[in-house]
Each structure stands twice: as C-alpha cells, then as structure tokens.
Amino acid sequence: QVQVEEFGGGLVQAGGSLRLACAASTSIFNLNPVSWYHQAPGKQRELVASITSGGFTTYTDSAKGRFTISRDQSKNSVYLQINSLKPEDTGVFYCVLAALGTRFWGQGTQVTVSS
C-alpha cells in the first residue's frame, strides 16, 4: 500500500518562510511525478507545483516566484519551499503522487500565516 505523508506545516508570521516535505515509503515515489496542492479555508483544492521524476518543474502562475518544488531521490522526498508567506497561504497543503494509474494523496499539513 502506498502511503504519502507531508511534514513541515505550522504557524508562521507573514513574510516568513517554510519548507514542506513529502515522503513515501515506496520505491515508486522516485519514479513518478509529485505535485503539491493548496486548499485555503472554504475554497477548493488548487494545484501549486509539480515535479517529474527527472526533476522538471512546473508552477501555476500564482505560485511562480515564491514557491520552489524540489526532490531528493536519496531521501524519497519532495519539498516545497515557500517564501514571503502571505495570510492567503493559510490552509492545508497536500502532496500527491501520480503512479500506477491513480493519485495517492497525503493527509495534508496545515500552514497558518499570521498577519
């Protein structure tokens, strides 16, 4: 069974930074694309960024400039660096592994940005 887990959320002041981590205890994690989604309170889940197994990255227009997705194959991990945090970044960040014809979602990690 594939389990994806996120780490690194918390309470941060506006203007600060956070690095979220996503890990999975499966070798297929390194072989497939991973994405980060954000769900603000009362809103739909939205894609933030994606990274392929080879490290190619894509970002939504709203994420360009403050978000950086990366992966470390040796640690079976994908990261999301968020700089210049804004109150609107508050919400749950989810990691998604696209593999085996489906998507495996983590439980999410809560980020709260205080103004």
Side-chain angles (χ1 to χ4, degrees):
Q1 186 174 355
V2 177
Q3 289 188 321
V4 176
E5 192 169 5
E6 302 91 343
F7 305 90
L11 174 62
V12 187
Q13 285 192 330
S17 298
L18 271 180
R19 189 175 82 151
L20 307 181
C22 171
S25 56
T26 171
S27 59
I28 67 171
F29 187 78
N30 286 339
L31 303 176
N32 291 280
V34 174
S35 300
W36 283 97
Y37 282 73
H38 173 238
Q39 186 167 23
K43 296 189 177 181
Q44 288 189 329
R45 210 170 288 187
E46 296 183 340
L47 177 65
V48 175
S50 300
I51 187 166
T52 67
S53 58
F56 181 77
T57 60
T58 56
Y59 300 88
T60 58
D61 287 343
S62 60
K64 290 176 182 176
R66 294 194 302 119
F67 294 79
T68 303
I69 189 171
S70 61
R71 70 191 309 163
D72 185 337
Q73 304 280 29
S74 68
K75 297 182 179 179
N76 254 28
S77 296
V78 169
Y79 305 98
L80 185 69
Q81 176 73 35
I82 315 172
N83 297 324
S84 302
L85 279 155
K86 303 176 180 181
E88 50 263 43
D89 294 324
T90 293
V92 181
F93 283 82
Y94 296 91
C95 177
V96 184
L97 168 66
L100 305 175
T102 188
R103 295 195 292 179
F104 299 93
W105 290 82
Q107 292 298 308
T109 185
Q110 174 71 40
V111 171
T112 302
V113 183
S114 63
S115 57

